[in-house]
């Protein structure tokens, strides 16, 4: 022991110090040894645990066959005959493009914004996982922060395709581990470029866009390989939050996100500073997503959808990328739509004014104007129909003052003369019953429809002159068929598809009135040897219905009787009594069978009223029957689908016509070969078809369809009007086009205006369309088949012309059935009054 400086200490002997040093060294080595073995053991345990966990969750991990044989849901498309896209159907709007067609800079933009280490990591990023774990569990205590690489996101897509979206997006450890397993398998079996191709075709980019091609089409109406750098950067910024970064809903957020992507590309050396600055300064210019099937040929596209779903199933249509080639011609469809709309609007105004949309208290006027303002043009009102407010009507009722949002103007009585009170007993044609004052028609506070008719300088908001409009109560439909191919080239199912998807061209069953008479007369020509000169007695007729016990006394439309009339005159002037007597000759049962043979598919009333079109038929069926007349007696099976192909281009069905000159020669050859085994069904002789057509030409020359002469082409057709004025028809054809038009109310609450006949209401629509559809196209005359002769006759009597006949006309007859030459001794003609059973010359 040593005492120094008042302190006491102990001296350790040298041998003890050495022993202590040796002990410390042994302890340190032992500690290190134990620590190393402990760490190795812990690592081994963790490894084994990790292997066991991975093995456990790997048992039911989906195969990567989905990626190796990539066939995701893709959009099915409907194409018009002239190659325009008219419809799309999908669960996920996706158009798959190969990696070679995806711009290199677009791929770089996604890598820069989503996964900068994509080409370096093994499928996942440890730093990303740890960062996500820390933020999610330490800071927020729940799994929310993303740390997924592009490979993991592709793996997530596999899970979603196999197990469903909800399962693939579940925020659980199990899902994350299974996702990592799949990511590793993808990396082990696919090159990075293939994984990137899968991702870029699979990723959701907002507004129904799945994959970069769909996004390029939806946002910019371009193909992906046509995108500019700012457009690529905008798309690449969407995956994180497509709704939040939507350039439609949030343009400023989209711009900020695009700047972020461009900044990442610049810092990673993918673009130069000049490219960055130019792209960053570019405006956000995107186009609204087009509602193709509702804008172009909606009734056609919807009918195609129903047909495909019925035969292939809805899932296949929405997921399998069918390519459906329709027969509709877009230009003709537009012509048909415009003609139908014009005709309905004109006819609807003749019915009168059905009143305002609403009537508002003065306290609600400002709110109404504000409500309309956001949907109006900013500067100048266009030629369109707008909802307007009547703010005043002058004391004399000559002018109403109108407000359309912030715009204002006047509505003079000259632009509303048609607005009479509806009365079906009146005929408003030519301005009859025009109103003399706006008083009682318009009242301050009325919400009405108007159309600006005066041009205005830019920026003007007052001084407009308006015309009164109304949403039509009438409806209309049209079908136009190429008779040789059977293709539907135009189909209109109603006034407005947005308001009613009911297709009146196919789904509505309506009484055809006199448009049914050619069916009755063709049966008489075929089966009873009728001719244009067969005499029918137009005289009163009374029948008793044995089933109902009711007595029926039909009359002609003009409520007059003309005595003896030839068939040609009876049909041209649409006489009812001669048609009934013709039906008596044919027999109601045989006539119904004949109509069904020609193509009428609906049930027919087997009584004498059938001759007057009392049984409902569809415009589709009736137009098809007229096409059979045009085709010389062979039945046409109209189609609106030419071909259906699967996603690999294999033809699933083919209705190509050998007469279709718009398709390649090889397709026409194949169609011709198929036609050998599917010969057209002959439903009447060529002679019957031609003679009936000839009679309908006379309808369009001097009969109820004479207005069709304005086409200045050979035309045959027939008007149809029901006795109660609920339906107006005209079905007519030239050599190359058969078209049927119908106008009427959907319901039977009230009839149309008096004298709204087929010739007055439906024929103008038909003519308007046909003039445009056949513009610049000559139409060959209807060619007579063999065994047809032409004879000069007296048109009024049907007798053979003599030197005394003032204006003889040429008429067609079956050889041996022409009217006798009364100047030759021993020849006479007969006529039968079918009702009275009295001979007046025989057939």
């Amino acid at each position: 022991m040593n005492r120094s400086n008042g302190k006491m200490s102990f001296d350790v002997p040298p041998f003890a110090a050495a022993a202590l040093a040796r002990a410390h060294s042994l302890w340190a080595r032992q500690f290190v040894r134990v620590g190393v073995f402990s760490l190795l053991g812990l690592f081994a345990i963790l490894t084994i645990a990790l292997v066991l966990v991975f093995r456990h969750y790997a048992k039911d991990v989906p195969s990567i066959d989905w990626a190796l044989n990539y066939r995701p849901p893709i959009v099915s498309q409907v194409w018009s005959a002239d190659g325009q896209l008219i419809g799309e159907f999908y669960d996920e709007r996706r158009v798959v493009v190969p990696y070679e067609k995806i711009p290199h800079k677009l791929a770089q933009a996604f890598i820069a914004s989503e996964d900068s280490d994509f080409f370096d990591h093994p499928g996942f990023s440890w730093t990303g996982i740890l960062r996500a774990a820390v933020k999610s569990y330490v800071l927020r205590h729940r799994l929310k922060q993303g740390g997924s690489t592009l490979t993991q996101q592709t793996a997530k897509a596999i899970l979603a395709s196999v197990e469903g979206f909800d399962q693939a997006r579940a925020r659980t450890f199990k899902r994350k581990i299974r996702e990592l397993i799949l990511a590793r398998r993808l990396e082990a079996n696919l090159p990075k470029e293939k994984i990137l191709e899968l991702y870029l075709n699979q990723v959701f980019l907002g507004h129904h866009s799945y994959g970069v091609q769909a996004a390029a089409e939806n946002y910019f109406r371009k193909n992906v390989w046509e995108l500019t750098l700012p457009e690529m950067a905008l798309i690449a910024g969407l995956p994180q939050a497509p709704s939040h970064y939507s350039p439609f809903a949030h343009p400023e957020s989209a711009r900020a996100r695009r700047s972020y992507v461009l900044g990442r590309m610049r810092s990673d050396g993918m673009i130069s500073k000049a490219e960055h600055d130019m792209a960053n300064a570019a405006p956000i210019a995107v186009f609204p997503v087009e509602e193709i099937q509702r804008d172009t040929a909606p009734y056609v596209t919807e009918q195609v959808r129903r047909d495909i779903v019925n035969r292939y199933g809805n899932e296949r249509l929405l997921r399998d990328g069918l390519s459906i080639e329709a027969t509709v011609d877009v230009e003709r469809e537009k012509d048909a739509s415009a003609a139908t709309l014009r005709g309905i609007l004109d006819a609807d105004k003749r019915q009168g004014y059905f009143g305002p949309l609403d009537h508002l208290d003065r306290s609600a006027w400002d709110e109404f104007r504000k409500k309309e303002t956001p949907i109006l043009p900013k500067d100048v009102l266009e030629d369109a129909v707008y909802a307007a407010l009547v703010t005043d009507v002058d004391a004399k009722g000559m002018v109403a003052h109108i407000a359309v949002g912030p715009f204002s103007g006047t509505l003079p009585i000259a632009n509303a003369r048609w607005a009479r009170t509806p009365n079906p007993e009146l005929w408003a044609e030519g301005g009859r019953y025009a109103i003399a004052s706006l008083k009682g028609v318009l009242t301050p506070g009325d919400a009405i429809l108007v159309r600006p008719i005066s041009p205005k300088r830019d920026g003007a908001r007052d001084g407009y002159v308006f015309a009164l409009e109304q949403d039509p109560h009438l409806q209309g439909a049209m079908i136009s068929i190429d008779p040789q191919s059977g293709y539907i080239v135009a189909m209109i199912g109603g006034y407005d598809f947005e308001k009613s998807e009911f297709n009146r061209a196919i789904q509505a069953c309506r009484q055809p009135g006199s448009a049914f008479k050619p069916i009755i007369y063709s049966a008489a020509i075929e089966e009873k040897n009728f001719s244009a000169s067969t005499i029918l007695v137009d005289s009163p007729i009374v029948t008793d219905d044995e089933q109902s016990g009711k007595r029926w006394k039909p009359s002609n439309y003009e409520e007059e009787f003309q005595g003896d009339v030839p068939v040609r005159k009876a049909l041209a002037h649409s006489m009812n009594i001669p048609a009934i007597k013709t039906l008596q000759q044919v027999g109601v049962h045989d006539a119904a069978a004949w109509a069904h043979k020609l193509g009428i598919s609906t049930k027919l009333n087997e009584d004498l009223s059938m001759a007057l079109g009392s049984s409902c038929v569809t415009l589709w069926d009736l137009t098809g029957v007229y096409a059979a007349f045009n085709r010389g007696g062979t039945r046409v099976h109209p189609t609106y689908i030419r071909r259906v192909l699967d996603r690999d281009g294999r033809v699933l069905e083919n209705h190509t016509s050998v007469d279709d000159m718009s398709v390649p020669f090889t397709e026409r050859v194949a169609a011709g070969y198929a036609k050998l085994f599917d010969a057209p069904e002959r439903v009447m002789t060529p002679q019957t078809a031609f003679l009936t057509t000839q009679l309908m030409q006379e309808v369009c020359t001097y009969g109820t369809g004479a207005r069709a002469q304005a086409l200045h082409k050979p035309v045959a057709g027939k008007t149809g009007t029901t006795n109660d004025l609920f339906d107006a028809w005209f079905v007519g054809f030239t050599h190359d086009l058969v078209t049927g038009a119908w106008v009427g109310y959907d319901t039977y609450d009230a009839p149309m205006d008096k004298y709204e006949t087929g010739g007055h209401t439906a024929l103008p629509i038909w003519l308007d369309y046909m003039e445009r559809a056949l513009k610049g196209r000559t139409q060959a005359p209807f060619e007579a088949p063999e065994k047809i002769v032409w004879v000069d006759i007296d048109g009024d009597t049907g007798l053979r012309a003599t030197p005394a006949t003032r204006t003889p006309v040429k008429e067609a007859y079956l050889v041996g059935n022409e009217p006798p030459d009364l100047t030759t001794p021993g020849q006479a003609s007969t006529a039968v009054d079918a009702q009275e059973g009295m001979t007046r010359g025989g057939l």
Side-chain angles (χ1 to χ4, degrees):
M1 182 169 57
N2 182 25
R3 294 177 181 270
S4 61
N5 299 324
K7 296 181 179 180
M8 186 171 57
S9 63
F10 293 91
D11 294 324
V12 179
F15 72 88
L20 287 172
R22 285 196 299 273
H24 185 271
S25 176
L26 288 172
W27 179 84
R29 286 198 298 272
Q30 185 68 21
F31 180 80
V32 171
R33 188 179 298 112
V34 170
V36 169
F37 279 112
S38 297
L39 288 175
L40 289 175
L42 180 61
F43 180 77
I45 292 171
L46 290 174
T47 301
I48 293 170
L50 191 60
V51 169
L52 291 175
V53 168
F54 268 67
R55 283 185 176 181
H56 173 72
Y57 286 116
K59 291 178 181 178
D60 59 347
V61 170
S63 166
I64 64 167
D65 287 346
W66 178 92
L68 297 173
N69 304 288
Y70 183 57
R71 293 176 70 83
I74 58 175
V75 61
S76 290
Q77 297 179 317
V78 184
W79 300 88
S80 69
D82 48 341
Q84 298 188 49
L85 183 65
I86 62 173
E88 292 186 329
F89 303 102
Y90 49 82
D91 273 339
E92 300 175 0
R93 190 185 185 283
R94 178 184 289 104
V95 180
V96 175
V97 289
Y99 185 73
E100 296 74 25
K101 284 193 171 184
I102 299 173
H104 182 59
K105 272 192 167 50
L106 179 60
Q108 287 181 320
F110 274 92
I111 291 171
S113 62
E114 294 290 314
D115 185 4
S116 59
D117 297 327
F118 173 71
F119 281 100
D120 300 319
H121 62 60
F124 56 87
S125 169
W126 284 115
T127 57
I129 292 174
L130 291 174
R131 182 173 62 253
V134 169
K135 289 185 177 181
S136 298
Y137 288 98
V138 175
L139 301 180
R140 302 182 186 179
H141 307 291
R142 55 193 177 95
L143 187 60
K144 185 175 180 181
Q145 177 71 23
S148 296
T149 65
L150 296 184
T151 309
Q152 287 175 265
Q153 293 183 49
T154 305
K156 190 181 299 182
I158 297 179
L159 291 172
S161 67
V162 175
E163 301 175 349
F165 180 86
D166 292 339
Q167 183 71 16
R169 294 298 188 271
R171 297 184 182 279
T172 64
F173 275 117
K174 177 181 178 181
R175 190 270 299 171
K176 197 68 178 178
I177 292 172
R178 296 169 79 243
E179 180 184 299
L180 291 172
I181 295 169
L182 269 178
R184 283 299 305 136
R185 290 180 180 177
L186 287 172
E187 292 280 349
N189 289 274
L190 298 174
K192 289 282 189 179
E193 290 77 10
K194 182 62 179 179
I195 295 172
L196 191 55
E197 176 186 331
L198 293 172
Y199 172 80
L200 293 175
N201 278 298
Q202 193 69 20
V203 62
F204 177 61
L205 297 168
H207 295 281
H208 303 292
S209 304
Y210 288 81
V212 291
Q213 175 64 19
E217 293 175 359
N218 277 0
Y219 293 114
F220 305 110
R221 297 182 186 175
K222 293 180 177 181
N223 288 309
V224 67
W225 52 89
E226 299 170 326
L227 294 174
T228 64
L229 177 59
E231 292 167 347
M232 295 178 196
L234 187 146
I235 289 176
L238 293 171
Q240 284 289 324
S243 298
H244 179 69
Y245 296 126
S246 166
F248 299 124
H250 306 289
E252 291 307 315
S253 296
R255 178 185 290 277
R257 181 64 179 173
R258 186 186 68 175
S259 294
Y260 167 78
V261 174
L262 290 169
R264 293 286 302 171
M265 294 180 74
R266 172 75 182 104
S267 63
D268 288 347
M270 296 174 177
I271 57 175
S272 66
K273 183 179 185 304
E275 288 176 312
H276 170 273
D277 294 345
M278 179 201 68
N280 201 37
I284 300 289
V286 291
F287 299 93
V289 178
E290 293 182 286
E291 290 286 346
I292 299 170
Q293 54 261 44
R294 293 182 177 270
D295 294 340
T296 310
Y299 286 103
V300 175
T301 307
E302 174 59 15
Q303 192 60 35
V304 167
R305 186 197 66 79
R306 291 192 189 113
D307 195 352
I308 295 297
V309 168
N310 183 56
R311 291 184 290 116
Y312 293 91
N314 194 52
E315 183 172 353
R316 192 164 188 189
L317 175 67
L318 296 179
R319 299 175 65 85
D320 277 9
L322 301 177
S323 180
I324 304 153
E325 298 174 0
T327 62
V328 64
D329 181 284
V330 168
E331 289 306 311
R332 286 184 175 174
E333 180 73 8
K334 289 179 179 177
D335 291 338
S337 178
T340 303
L341 177 59
R342 282 190 290 265
I344 290 175
L345 290 173
D346 288 346
D348 192 76
K349 286 181 178 179
R350 290 198 296 269
Q351 312 313 303
Y353 182 54
F354 292 99
L357 303 173
D358 197 2
H359 183 80
L360 307 175
D361 292 334
R362 187 173 293 273
S363 60
W365 288 13
D366 289 342
E367 183 63 26
F368 177 81
R369 295 183 67 174
K370 290 177 182 178
K371 184 178 179 182
E372 292 298 312
T373 300
I375 61 176
L376 295 172
K378 292 183 178 180
D379 299 322
V380 181
L381 292 179
E382 302 166 351
D383 182 18
V385 175
Y386 299 100
L389 178 70
V390 178
T391 58
D392 188 34
V393 179
D394 74 352
K396 295 182 179 180
M398 294 294 103
V399 177
H401 295 272
I402 304 298
V404 180
F407 302 91
S408 62
T410 58
L411 193 161
I413 191 172
N415 296 339
R417 291 280 187 189
W418 58 270
R420 66 180 178 90
T421 300
N423 184 346
E425 294 300 317
L426 303 179
W427 187 32
E429 179 66 13
R432 293 179 179 89
Y433 309 108
I435 63 171
S437 171
L438 292 173
K439 291 288 187 180
V441 177
L442 300 179
T443 303
D446 282 352
I448 62 174
L449 294 178
V450 298
R451 181 188 297 273
I453 61 172
S454 61
K456 296 298 299 179
R457 65 187 183 277
D458 290 348
R461 292 200 170 189
D462 56 3
Y464 280 88
V465 177
F466 295 99
L468 181 64
E469 299 288 345
Q470 72 178 353
D471 201 16
H473 287 209
L474 281 175
Q475 281 289 351
M478 181 184 290
I479 283 184
S480 189
I481 306 174
D482 180 328
Q484 305 310 316
S485 64
Y487 291 172
I488 299 294
V489 298
M491 179 165 62
I492 307 299
Y495 159 66
D496 189 341
F497 184 80
E498 290 293 329
K499 294 181 178 178
S500 172
E501 297 183 8
F502 181 66
N503 190 338
R504 295 156 188 84
I506 292 180
Q507 296 174 287
C509 193
R510 308 288 301 205
Q511 292 181 344
S514 295
F516 196 81
K517 289 175 180 175
I519 296 176
I520 302 300
Y521 283 109
S522 65
I525 293 170
E526 177 96 353
E527 299 178 0
K528 298 300 178 180
N529 212 29
F530 269 44
S531 74
S533 292
T534 298
I535 298 299
L536 298 163
V537 180
D538 182 26
S539 61
I541 180 174
V542 178
T543 65
D544 294 318
D545 189 323
E546 296 179 357
Q547 293 183 348
S548 67
K550 294 182 179 180
R551 178 160 290 186
W552 182 46
K553 187 179 180 181
S555 62
N556 293 319
Y557 182 77
E558 300 293 343
E559 298 183 355
E560 297 177 354
F561 300 97
Q562 299 188 24
D564 291 358
V565 293
V567 163
R568 69 188 305 273
K569 185 176 180 180
L571 182 61
H573 294 290
S574 204
M575 297 178 182
N576 290 339
I577 304 303
I580 293 170
K581 293 183 176 181
T582 299
L583 177 57
Q584 286 180 315
Q585 286 289 296
V586 174
V588 293
H589 179 72
D590 289 345
W594 176 260
H596 288 139
K597 181 181 178 183
L598 266 56
I600 300 298
S601 61
T602 50
K603 187 179 184 301
L604 299 175
N605 301 324
E606 293 193 14
D607 55 41
L608 293 179
S609 69
M610 184 197 309
L612 308 186
S614 65
S615 304
C616 78
V617 301
T618 64
L619 182 61
W620 173 275
D621 281 355
L622 193 59
T623 308
V625 170
Y626 278 61
F629 293 132
N630 178 289
R631 288 165 54 94
T634 58
R635 182 176 173 182
V636 65
H637 293 278
T639 181
Y640 37 79
I641 295 176
R642 187 177 75 83
R643 292 199 310 170
V644 179
L645 291 78
D646 68 10
R647 65 193 296 162
D648 300 312
R650 292 188 295 261
V651 178
L652 302 179
E653 58 183 82
N654 192 345
H655 308 288
T656 299
S657 170
V658 68
D659 301 302
D660 188 348
M661 302 303 294
S662 67
V663 300
F665 176 73
T666 52
E667 283 194 44
R668 297 203 306 275
V669 170
Y673 181 74
K675 201 170 183 180
L676 296 175
F677 304 95
D678 186 21
E681 177 188 1
R682 177 159 294 283
V683 293
M684 70 185 90
T685 65
Q687 293 76 23
T688 295
F690 178 76
L691 293 174
T692 307
T693 296
Q694 178 65 19
L695 292 174
M696 287 193 285
Q697 277 194 274
E698 290 163 357
V699 171
C700 297
T701 302
Y702 69 91
T704 57
R707 189 178 293 196
Q709 288 186 82
L711 191 61
H712 303 297
K713 302 180 193 305
V715 176
K718 185 69 186 75
T719 57
T721 310
T722 54
N723 286 337
D724 52 16
L725 295 173
F726 281 110
D727 300 274
W729 302 67
F730 184 77
V731 186
F733 54 89
T734 63
H735 184 276
D736 294 340
L737 211 54
V738 182
T739 301
W742 167 86
V743 178
Y745 291 115
D746 277 339
T747 63
Y748 296 95
D749 297 331
M752 289 186 287
D753 186 4
K754 194 173 184 180
Y755 302 117
E756 289 288 357
T757 63
H760 186 71
T761 307
L763 198 159
I765 295 175
W766 179 94
L767 181 61
D768 188 358
Y769 162 71
M770 292 290 278
E771 284 177 333
R772 288 168 172 75
L774 296 175
K775 186 177 181 180
R777 293 179 57 186
T778 58
Q779 294 294 286
F782 303 108
E783 186 176 350
E786 59 182 9
K787 300 181 181 180
I788 293 293
V789 294
W790 295 88
V791 178
D792 288 335
I793 66 166
D794 182 316
D796 291 329
T797 65
L799 299 176
R800 188 183 288 264
T802 69
T805 304
R806 290 185 178 180
T807 53
V809 296
K810 283 194 177 297
E811 187 61 80
Y813 297 89
L814 186 65
V815 171
N817 199 33
E818 60 270 26
D821 186 351
L822 297 181
T823 62
T824 302
Q827 294 197 31
S829 63
T830 59
V832 174
D833 185 319
Q835 168 65 16
E836 301 175 11
M838 55 185 292
T839 300
R840 302 195 47 161
L843 296 179

